[in-house]
Amino acid sequence: MEYRRLGASGLMVPALSFGAGTFGGQGPLFGAWGSSDAQEARRLVDICIDAGITMFDTADVYSGGASEEVLGQAVKGRRDRVLISTKTSLPTGDGPGDAGSSRSRLIAACEAALRRLDTDHIDLFQLHAFDAGTPVEEVLSTLDDLVRAGKVRYLGISNFSGWQAMKSLALAERHGRTRYVAHQVYYSLVGRDYEWELMPLGLDQGLGALVWSPLGWGRLTGKIRRGRPLPARSRLHETADYGPPVEDELLYRVVDVLDELAEETGRAVPQIALNWLLQRPTVSSVIIGARTEEQLRQNLGAVGWSLTPEQTARLDAASSRTAPYPYFPYQRQEGFARLNPPVLARG
């Protein structure tokens, strides 16, 4: 397993990490993802550790906290060998204090996560969403207190826009608060919006990308192809409306090239899609999920090799889309590009 620095920090993380959203699955969304109990989860964790995957990602909203509980049981007795990442800010109830990033909510959420995970510290504590109702200074001050208390070691964000992330980083620097070092983002061959603003921000500010849903919300598994109905067992039947939208023609165009490369390389379609991501600028770790040992072992085959530049270029071309304003002039017009070269050319 390759290890990379998490953004502008000293923390080394594996190129692949494991998403525990399938642990303890409850409800219409997470129940469709998976429902691994502690015994099943421990076996998956065993495989991960043996392969060098040492970081496990969860959140308080995953199955109402059950994911954190099962993960805590699965790593029991080897906590010092793994990194735990969890998230908060999204609603966990209907009460006025059950959502957001206020001081009271963050402190309570951190304490609850520590109890569920059965640990004395969280390696990476992330805000799952931007809270427009709480002053950024209050958020940063509270998170800094949690770091200084030893309950949290590193800080990150997830699903922030560029201005939200930059405002937070600027105020952290101004007031001497602990800075965010990670941004957990949606990024895939069928979802490259991350490249338009958040990737340049990550390069400039030292935010390492932790990639969620790298297979396009389950669309790049090799089971969905042009001219075929959605497989009966696909979780997209229940979960498509929760995830990022993908145009059919874009998906089929990308899958056509993935099929060609699978034939050329002898690799599975998901392995190729994951390997493409591992070569992108700012990517510190790609979060993989699995309901079964078979799925996990297949995903592990994404590391230890690389697509050729020519193969990468074919995937780039198949997955490219015209950027929205104000980015498309920099993508399409020479004068704009001379002033601000494409981020991938600098990567």
Side-chain angles (χ1 to χ4, degrees), residues 222-231 247-253 255-256 259:
K223 299 176 182 177
I224 301 175
R225 288 184 172 84
R226 190 189 305 272
R228 299 184 189 178
L230 191 65
E247 297 173 2
D248 286 345
E249 184 53 37
L250 170 64
L251 173 62
Y252 298 144
R253 192 166 67 238
V255 170
D256 286 345
D259 280 339

Side-chain angles (χ1 to χ4, degrees), residues 135-146:
V136 173
E137 293 89 340
E138 179 180 334
V139 177
L140 295 171
S141 171
T142 307
L143 293 173
D144 191 64
D145 288 345
L146 293 173

Side-chain angles (χ1 to χ4, degrees), residues 52-174:
I53 293 181
T54 53
M55 186 161 72
F56 298 86
D57 181 75
T58 182
D60 57 5
V61 294
Y62 292 174
S63 297
S67 172
E68 290 179 327
E69 292 177 353
V70 172
L71 177 59
Q73 296 172 50
V75 301
K76 193 174 183 64
R78 50 203 172 157
R79 176 65 181 90
D80 59 341
R81 298 176 59 191
V82 303
L83 301 171
I84 292 179
S85 162
T86 193
K87 302 178 290 293
T88 192
S89 291
L90 290 177
T92 55
D94 297 327
D98 294 334
S101 303
S102 67
R103 173 173 287 272
S104 59
R105 171 74 197 289
L106 288 178
I107 292 173
C110 181
E111 296 290 351
L114 290 170
R115 288 194 300 271
R116 287 191 292 265
L117 290 162
D118 192 21
T119 186
D120 63 354
H121 72 277
I122 296 166
D123 297 287
L124 177 63
F125 194 52
Q126 301 166 92
L127 304 183
H128 214 156
F130 182 76
D131 177 6
T134 300
V136 173
E137 293 89 340
E138 179 180 334
V139 177
L140 295 171
S141 171
T142 307
L143 293 173
D144 191 64
D145 288 345
L146 293 173
V147 172
R148 292 177 185 277
K151 297 179 180 181
V152 171
R153 295 191 173 172
Y154 291 91
L155 300 175
I157 52 178
S158 183
N159 306 313
F160 275 42
S161 68
W163 77 263
Q164 292 164 350
M166 192 64 243
K167 179 175 182 178
S168 301
L169 291 167
L171 287 173
E173 183 171 348
R174 178 185 300 175

